[in-house]
Amino acid sequence: MKNNHIILGTVFLVIIGCSNPKAHTAEEESFFLPPPTTYNYIEVNDVKLFYREAGDPNKPTIVLLHGYPSSSHSYRNLIPMLANHYHIIAPDNLGSGYSDHPKPDTTTYTFDLLADYTEALLTKLNIDNYIMYMQDFGAPVGYRMMMKNPKRINALIVQNANAYLDGLTPKRQDFFKNAQQDTSQVQVDFLYSITSREVTINKQYLFDIDSLNYKIQSPDAWTHDLAFLQKPSDRNIQVQLFQDYYNNLLAYPSWQKMLKETQPKTLIVWGSKDLKFNANGAKAYLRDLPNAELHLLDAGHFAAEEKTRDIAKLILKFLKKETIK
């Protein structure tokens, strides 16, 4: 009988414990449960721009700017790792991903145009200040926005995003120069050819990855990108951006001057195996930003695909250290 009392008492305590809302809440808080990501459209100048959003809008905002040939889909894994601590906005450039793709025979695509639309999107969302993450094409978009008002940027996160000629071999510099200055049909056809399925997979995503490590690169990345490069008009949008890219190289000195004068809090996380935007481009930032934090990762151009957790940890530690919270 005594043992029965003990058993009943134990059951009673277990029931009481399970019904205690405070105990339940404490248990839930011990889990890593990221807030949901939402998928949104906003109209800017009669076109629809797509963006992903996650996290509490009352917390500091991180804006994730994507590269070529991708979209905000690049950050599908990074977003939930950051969203418990920050408000995240990841837009698709005009002409990329789920954003509208005005035809390139009526709209001339330049990095000025992409920056104007991205800035208008943030203005419509009432985001005045933010942390800016840039990769690849994200740099010429982001630095144009920053040039207009550097004070809006609370911190920079630079991931394989060039602002120095050091990061481009002479051959790569010539590629961008020829893309702009050679207007022959042969050159246009060549630029069009590098937006193909085969080149996107093998010369973009798998180009700087050892064949033994292919499993670390999700095929979801290029499958998603190629879905938006099906039409000739979509591929020609990217051709126009290749033709405009040399203007970024010409703008590097002004971007560098801005960085040197404003000294933004800067984290550089760079895939050291990147052969197109090489690691010398990462190190070059330290000339103008000697207090920047630099990490060279064992990854290629799409480091956020390969080393998502590593980059997330570095971002969270950096922003905590800089008291951006």
Side-chain angles (χ1 to χ4, degrees), residues 5 40 94 128 134 147 163 194 202 209 222 224 278 281 284 287 300 303 309 317 324:
H5 280 303
N40 315 277
L94 181 72
D128 297 323
M134 303 175 292
M147 287 286 288
I194 64 177
N202 295 312
I209 297 179
W222 59 75
H224 185 276
N278 64 65
R287 289 203 297 268
R309 287 171 56 86
K317 287 180 180 179
I324 302 173

Side-chain angles (χ1 to χ4, degrees), residues 187-217:
Q187 176 70 6
V188 172
D189 290 344
F190 167 68
L191 295 175
Y192 185 84
S193 73
I194 64 177
T195 66
S196 69
R197 183 180 190 276
E198 180 183 351
V199 175
T200 296
I201 296 173
N202 295 312
K203 299 298 183 181
Q204 285 293 124
Y205 281 98
L206 301 181
F207 183 64
D208 45 23
I209 297 179
D210 189 290
S211 60
L212 297 175
N213 294 323
Y214 276 5
K215 64 182 181 180
I216 65 176
Q217 189 68 279

Side-chain angles (χ1 to χ4, degrees), residues 5-36:
H5 280 303
I6 293 171
I7 292 169
L8 288 172
T10 303
V11 171
F12 179 72
L13 287 172
V14 169
I15 293 171
I16 292 296
C18 290
S19 64
N20 185 338
K22 289 184 178 180
H24 186 63
T25 301
E27 182 184 8
E28 281 190 342
E29 288 178 351
S30 70
F31 300 145
F32 177 78
L33 297 172

Side-chain angles (χ1 to χ4, degrees), residues 38-74:
T38 61
Y39 307 91
N40 315 277
Y41 287 93
I42 193 167
E43 189 168 308
V44 175
N45 299 333
D46 299 323
V47 300
K48 288 192 302 182
L49 297 180
F50 174 85
Y51 65 97
R52 299 167 196 249
E53 183 173 17
D56 183 352
N58 294 313
K59 294 181 178 179
T61 298
I62 302 177
V63 176
L64 305 174
L65 301 179
H66 69 81
Y68 169 84
S70 46
S71 66
S72 60
H73 181 260
S74 302

